Amino acid sequence: MELDKMDENDWKYHGEGNKSLVVSHVQLSRVLRLLKYPAEDSENPPQTVEQAFRQIQNIVDFSSNVMSSLLGEKFIHSGPKCGFLPSSKHVSKDIKAKVCRFCMHQHYKVANGKWKRRSLYCPLDLFSGNRQRMHFAIRHLIEEPQNNFKIFKMRGGNAYIQPLIGNSQASTNNFPSSGQCIYSSKEGSDELMDLNSLLHQLRPYFLHGINRINSHMTNKAVLNEFIQVLVNALLGGGGDEGVVTDRQGEGRSFCEASLFNKERIRNGSQCLPSDSVLFRILQTQMLDTLDIEGLYPLYRRVEQYMQDFPKERTHLQIDGPYNEAFLEKLQKSLAEDDGSVEYAVAKVHQYRVAMTAKDCSIMIALVPRTEEEDDDEGLPSQRRLRDFMSSRPPAFSYSVSILDLDPKPFDSITSQLRLDQKIVSCYLRTGGALPKGSLPPLPDIFAAAEREDCTLLLHSM
């Protein structure tokens, strides 16, 4: 792509986060991710061209060489939040073992006026492996604007759900550059109108059985089946259904702030297939074994060591390169602290990788199978008709990708500790209570989906 021939009118704005902005080419299947710097730095850039290139290369290497090994190559395409409660002995406030960081952070944002109301989405429900809890989580993920749930419809009818979990507005890998955004919840928009429009566009993909004849299906049924497809994609992967994450005995599978009624669970198993995308993300998140409170003293040990021996920063690979040697240090960390800087830096690296996994996003690409793909020419016409009229839901092919895998800066750990302290203090100070009206009005946004539509059909005699 030649820079001197680039026309600004050929590019479409998609979104941006704190550190980057994403645009796509109108004609070509090409996406550009542009790193952002403060306007005051335009005259005196903080980096040389070589340093900027090294930063970009580090992002690519971190995704390719580190996160790909931990999350699985099939989920990573190189260019959430946390699913468990901490059990570290270093945690100073008991509330952190009862209420997840995401829910407390929601409370903090509402209390400080960043959002008008809290989301009912809780990542522990999504990562539970229990279909009822996952359904509950995704339903409320669709509802709230700050969760940045988006759906794109591609040429040919493919649907992309991007991102499913995560906060970044600049998810880029495999970004559907030629797609039309058919759902993107935004604060201040008419959520009911947006949801009605979404269900109207989704309805043709879910008509089956007798509904294919009269083209009628309730909003509630469309929404439920759509969410079920997403659950299937998140649990898919061919893993052993019996493999579970080891959280049940640690009491880290439920968040007290979640409004999911535990009594509703008919099947109490909390199970994630070992080859599912959520399992791989969760295992990587759990590299954070110390919590930020236990990690901070180790960070200070490394920081002090680098002050005494500044040239060792390169040897410790604080700023990369993120290669096989970095991954080896990450995976061979000692179980007990021997007081060495090597132990401390390995734990800091593990925490940084875990934070990347906690802040990643998921993209799900859905492709409805055609009747020709599902049809068997050898079947008698009576059976084909019976299959056509059956209540069996339509099948989808899907692909799942993990996005937003940039390395977290080493120097951000101090600010992360301060934010953690503010979030927990705010939650404890208010006792978890929020101002009236800060909870989403569920009957309003989901009125269309919950109401069973009635249709009168007249037949000539």
Side-chain angles (χ1 to χ4, degrees):
M1 187 174 296
E2 301 179 31
L3 292 178
D4 59 342
K5 294 183 179 180
M6 292 178 63
D7 186 340
E8 63 182 25
N9 296 316
D10 291 335
W11 295 89
K12 179 181 178 181
Y13 171 86
H14 276 288
E16 60 188 294
N18 293 327
K19 297 183 179 180
S20 57
L21 178 146
V22 177
V23 294
S24 67
H25 198 278
V26 176
Q27 302 295 333
L28 306 175
S29 296
R30 191 70 59 88
V31 174
L32 285 186
R33 176 185 180 186
L34 309 176
L35 299 182
K36 297 165 60 176
Y37 293 98
E40 56 268 23
D41 291 340
S42 59
E43 295 296 329
N44 298 296
Q47 292 181 322
T48 65
V49 174
E50 291 76 13
Q51 290 172 328
F53 179 81
R54 182 67 255 175
Q55 179 185 358
I56 294 173
Q57 190 61 52
N58 273 344
I59 292 174
V60 175
D61 290 344
F62 189 76
S63 174
S64 301
N65 301 329
V66 179
M67 302 307 294
S68 178
S69 297
L70 297 171
L71 297 173
E73 292 184 2
K74 70 178 182 177
F75 296 126
I76 306 299
H77 304 272
S78 299
K81 292 297 177 185
C82 187
F84 69 98
L85 293 172
S87 62
S88 170
K89 63 182 179 181
H90 302 284
V91 172
S92 61
K93 305 295 183 182
D94 291 341
I95 193 65
K96 293 174 68 173
K98 300 176 182 179
V99 179
C100 77
R101 166 67 178 264
F102 181 90
C103 289
M104 281 197 286
H105 203 174
Q106 282 280 309
H107 183 279
Y108 179 76
K109 289 177 180 179
V110 173
N112 286 275
K114 183 173 182 179
W115 295 107
K116 295 181 180 178
R117 63 192 191 199
R118 61 159 287 197
S119 168
L120 297 186
Y121 164 73
C122 176
L124 265 67
D125 290 327
L126 182 68
F127 281 86
S128 68
N130 180 277
R131 287 181 174 271
Q132 291 171 272
R133 291 179 64 187
M134 293 177 69
H135 192 283
F136 184 85
I138 295 175
R139 166 174 164 164
H140 294 298
L141 191 63
I142 295 174
E143 176 192 10
E144 282 304 307
Q146 63 262 44
N147 292 318
N148 219 14
F149 184 95
K150 297 181 180 180
I151 302 177
F152 292 84
K153 185 176 181 180
M154 305 297 292
R155 295 192 186 104
N158 300 351
Y160 283 78
I161 292 80
Q162 184 275 327
L164 183 58
I165 60 174
N167 284 335
S168 173
Q169 295 183 4
S171 303
T172 60
N173 300 332
N174 276 4
F175 200 94
S177 58
S178 61
Q180 173 194 5
C181 184
I182 63 172
Y183 185 76
S184 176
S185 54
K186 299 176 182 178
E187 190 169 41
S189 64
D190 189 332
E191 292 103 339
L192 180 59
M193 183 181 298
D194 291 342
L195 183 63
N196 277 329
S197 176
L198 170 65
L199 296 177
H200 175 74
Q201 297 210 45
L202 290 178
R203 181 171 281 105
Y205 298 103
F206 293 93
L207 290 175
H208 54 87
I210 191 63
N211 293 326
R212 299 177 73 174
I213 303 298
N214 57 32
S215 299
H216 174 74
M217 194 174 185
T218 65
N219 282 336
K220 180 178 180 180
V222 173
L223 182 65
N224 286 340
E225 290 203 9
F226 173 61
I227 294 176
Q228 192 58 46
V229 169
L230 298 183
V231 171
N232 290 339
L234 292 172
L235 292 178
D240 183 357
E241 289 286 345
V243 176
V244 297
T245 53
D246 185 21
R247 296 173 293 153
Q248 197 73 9
E250 298 173 343
R252 294 191 286 169
S253 61
F254 274 101
C255 169
E256 291 187 358
S258 170
L259 295 187
F260 182 85
N261 186 353
K262 302 177 183 63
E263 303 299 323
R264 293 173 53 192
I265 297 182
R266 293 183 292 270
N267 182 357
S269 64
Q270 308 297 307
C271 168
L272 283 174
S274 60
D275 201 26
S276 66
V277 64
L278 292 183
F279 182 89
R280 300 300 293 266
I281 292 175
L282 185 60
Q283 292 300 103
T284 306
Q285 290 179 351
M286 294 177 76
L287 287 173
D288 173 18
T289 59
L290 302 175
D291 188 71
I292 184 64
E293 294 184 72
L295 190 278
Y296 186 70
L298 299 179
Y299 164 77
R300 292 289 295 139
R301 183 191 301 176
V302 177
E303 191 177 46
Q304 183 61 54
Y305 181 82
M306 289 192 300
Q307 290 177 1
D308 297 337
F309 307 97
K311 294 183 179 180
E312 286 294 290
R313 187 179 182 101
T314 301
H315 172 71
L316 297 176
Q317 294 184 266
I318 299 299
D319 308 304
Y322 300 113
N323 50 22
E324 292 182 1
F326 180 90
L327 182 62
E328 185 176 355
K329 289 180 182 178
L330 191 76
Q331 295 177 324
K332 289 189 175 181
S333 174
L334 298 174
E336 298 294 333
D337 187 357
D338 60 357
S340 67
V341 69
E342 287 77 12
Y343 172 85
V345 77
K347 285 299 181 183
V348 170
H349 287 333
Q350 284 185 341
Y351 176 81
R352 293 172 64 196
V353 170
M355 288 301 293
T356 295
K358 292 177 184 180
D359 205 31
C360 71
S361 301
I362 296 178
M363 177 186 285
I364 301 176
L366 300 175
V367 181
R369 293 181 185 173
T370 64
E371 294 181 20
E372 290 77 12
E373 291 175 322
D374 291 336
D375 192 19
D376 187 335
E377 294 182 358
L379 291 177
S381 58
Q382 293 89 342
R383 181 175 175 183
R384 286 202 298 269
L385 178 61
R386 186 169 65 250
D387 290 341
F388 178 83
M389 296 290 292
S390 72
S391 60
R392 178 171 54 89
F396 288 83
S397 297
Y398 58 83
S399 174
V400 182
S401 302
I402 305 173
L403 317 177
D404 296 332
L405 297 177
D406 294 6
K408 299 300 179 183
F410 171 84
D411 302 318
S412 68
I413 291 178
T414 299
S415 60
Q416 291 172 16
L417 176 65
R418 287 198 294 264
L419 179 59
D420 183 80
Q421 292 170 338
K422 291 179 181 178
I423 290 172
V424 174
S425 296
C426 177
Y427 196 86
L428 290 175
R429 185 173 62 252
T430 60
L434 286 171
K436 184 178 180 181
S438 61
L439 284 177
L442 291 179
D444 292 340
I445 186 169
F446 282 108
E450 291 295 345
R451 185 178 63 248
E452 289 290 351
D453 298 334
C454 296
T455 302
L456 180 63
L457 298 178
L458 301 178
H459 300 273
S460 58
M461 300 296 293

